[in-house]
Amino acid sequence: MTLKRSSYNPLLTPREEADWESHAVFNGSIAKAGHEMILIYRAMGREVVINGKKLRLSTLGRTSSVDGKRFTDRTQFMAPEQTWEQYGLEDPRVTFIEGKYYIFYTALGNHPPNYQGIRCAVAISKDL
């Protein structure tokens, strides 16, 4: 098998105007939904303070494409809601099983991250 890098790289770059993804975008996972492809990706924004600790919070973004090259409608898809993920969400992986999308991700519950605060988590959606 011979692979060739696409001339459309990078598919996404940070957007200064979007606080939640102004610093970096990376680690995407794609799923097909009807005639479009949905990309769930990790994003880092401006520095925030959480429990007295300054950091760039990782959240998950969502964007879509009909051709797999140009992605539009970028929105923040998931942000921390629980204490066991309060310091960020990372490394999303999406799979479709029996009518549902399962989004597995790494949840960070302490800062700096260490083995006691890193969790494997899952979110479930019918439509992404």
Side-chain angles (χ1 to χ4, degrees), residues 19 22-23 44-50 53-57:
D19 285 346
S22 60
H23 183 69
M44 291 177 74
R46 291 181 177 49
E47 285 188 330
V48 296
V49 177
I50 299 173
K53 299 173 182 180
K54 187 187 273 190
L55 63 121
R56 292 189 188 275
L57 186 66

Side-chain angles (χ1 to χ4, degrees), residues 2-128:
T2 302
L3 300 175
K4 181 182 173 216
R5 289 196 185 270
S6 171
S7 61
Y8 290 92
N9 283 323
L11 294 175
L12 300 178
T13 57
R15 295 185 304 155
E16 185 62 33
E17 69 276 12
D19 285 346
W20 63 277
E21 66 173 355
S22 60
H23 183 69
V25 292
F26 43 107
N27 293 9
S29 181
I30 204 157
K32 190 160 173 56
H35 295 291
E36 66 181 353
M37 288 167 260
I38 307 296
L39 177 66
I40 306 296
Y41 61 96
R42 177 181 170 201
M44 291 177 74
R46 291 181 177 49
E47 285 188 330
V48 296
V49 177
I50 299 173
N51 296 327
K53 299 173 182 180
K54 187 187 273 190
L55 63 121
R56 292 189 188 275
L57 186 66
S58 291
T59 65
L60 302 184
R62 179 199 184 280
T63 187
S64 61
S65 174
V66 292
D67 64 7
K69 300 170 187 171
R70 289 173 281 280
F71 286 84
T72 59
D73 304 321
R74 288 165 65 169
T75 59
Q76 190 174 41
F77 183 66
M78 288 176 61
E81 294 179 3
Q82 307 296 323
T83 57
W84 48 266
E85 63 184 13
Q86 67 185 325
Y87 293 106
L89 314 175
E90 300 184 354
D91 306 325
R93 299 294 179 261
V94 181
T95 192
F96 184 76
I97 301 171
E98 297 180 358
K100 295 179 186 172
Y101 293 92
Y102 293 82
I103 305 107
F104 294 89
Y105 62 97
T106 302
L108 304 178
N110 57 13
H111 187 77
N114 65 39
Y115 73 94
Q116 294 173 322
I118 298 173
R119 305 274 190 276
C120 181
V122 64
I124 302 169
S125 172
K126 290 182 181 178
D127 59 6
L128 287 179

